Amino acid sequence: MMDGVRLAGFGLATSLGFGCEANIEGMRRGRGRYARLELEEYQPPFDVPYLLVPGNTGSAQQRFDRLLDAVVSEALEGFALPLPERRNMPLFIGSSCYGVALAEERYQAGLCSVGPDAMPMPIEGFGDIGARVRRQFGLAGADFAFNTACTAGANALLSAARYIADGLAPCALVLGLETFNHTSAAGFHGMQLLSTELMRPFDKHRSGLVLGEGCAAILLVADNAAAGAGTFLRGGASRCDNYSISASNPDGSEIAAVMAAALADAGLAARDITAIKAHGTASPLNDEGEAAGMVQVFDPLPP
């Protein structure tokens, strides 16, 4: 149980725009930002819907810089931290792609300059994004990288909260990042998981997911007045479903187990939950497993 960990600052950039207010307003209006992504260099070529951050154009480095600067600035502006705490604040980053887009761009530049002969792929390690954020915002604390596919951001958030709850730091910055890259798009296309139209999670006509890019930052702070106003992280759990390399067990057993563990960690019962944010990839096996897991834990299901 993680009493006393408050979500104190937020920054966000998605296909609905830059800033939390723009995203909230976009959701209220039901605004969609689907763009068609045309990948002509593949054989055969294909195009799919994709959720791009509007106005975030330029080189891969420029797109990274714009996203990171915007969301981290927004999150830190929302809460006044003493300078020593900000300087020593740890950084927790969750991403499935990290700097893959940067590596692709530099690889293409190398091919253009030396010709079509084989050449090594540039190394863009997990630490590069963290090092850039730390330099830009004067952070000298530890940084941690999480690369657990779709759960990377959640695991970063959960680990940061436990870091604070264990008394290791009074605050932490959590960053989630995904940017467009050909490797991810081609990989999901190769697994036949991309919809050619739109996402319909848990719908009998579902045809796959729609990829997108975005960036989010959350400032977590220790707050012993947990009964007061604000948004607090009560608990969580993380497990590994080894049923398959690319799919959860369709019987929902591991999904049910991780939700039950999260409820226990938070000191809550299933009846206390008022809403669920599902993974909802609109792929046949994932939706089947999630639905099976949820009905094992919740009766009735909350919205």
Side-chain angles (χ1 to χ4, degrees), residues 286-303:
N286 179 82
D287 284 12
E288 184 178 318
E290 278 197 63
M294 286 189 287
V295 298
Q296 291 174 42
V297 176
F298 299 96
D299 182 21
L301 275 174

Side-chain angles (χ1 to χ4, degrees), residues 31-193:
R31 190 181 299 148
R33 295 281 184 177
Y34 284 130
R36 299 299 299 187
L37 186 67
E38 298 182 4
L39 298 177
E40 298 179 351
E41 61 270 35
Y42 293 94
Q43 296 298 326
F46 66 95
D47 73 282
V48 290
Y50 194 90
L51 293 162
L52 289 165
V53 175
N56 195 28
T57 58
S59 68
Q61 188 66 64
Q62 290 171 327
R63 291 187 285 116
F64 267 90
D65 291 347
R66 196 174 293 116
L67 286 173
L68 293 169
D69 290 350
V71 302
V72 175
S73 295
E74 187 181 14
L76 294 180
E77 288 168 1
F79 188 84
L81 279 174
L83 187 59
E85 287 189 10
R86 173 166 169 167
R87 178 166 177 77
N88 295 315
M89 181 167 56
L91 175 64
F92 293 76
I93 304 177
S95 175
S96 71
C97 67
Y98 280 89
V100 169
L102 295 170
E104 291 176 343
E105 191 170 83
R106 291 167 188 171
Y107 181 66
Q108 288 296 326
L111 288 180
C112 291
S113 63
V114 304
D117 295 335
M119 60 181 291
M121 194 75 166
I123 296 175
E124 291 293 343
F126 296 160
D128 292 345
I129 304 299
R132 194 234 176 257
V133 172
R134 293 170 74 198
R135 286 194 306 270
Q136 181 70 10
F137 293 94
L139 309 180
D143 65 270
F144 303 88
F146 296 80
N147 185 237
T148 55
C150 299
T151 62
N155 278 321
L157 180 65
L158 186 59
S159 297
R162 286 185 171 149
Y163 198 87
I164 292 172
D166 288 343
L168 299 174
C171 58
L173 183 66
V174 184
L175 183 67
L177 173 70
E178 294 297 324
T179 60
F180 168 72
N181 64 87
H182 291 270
T183 302
S184 296
F188 279 99
H189 176 70
M191 290 190 289
Q192 300 181 332
L193 290 175

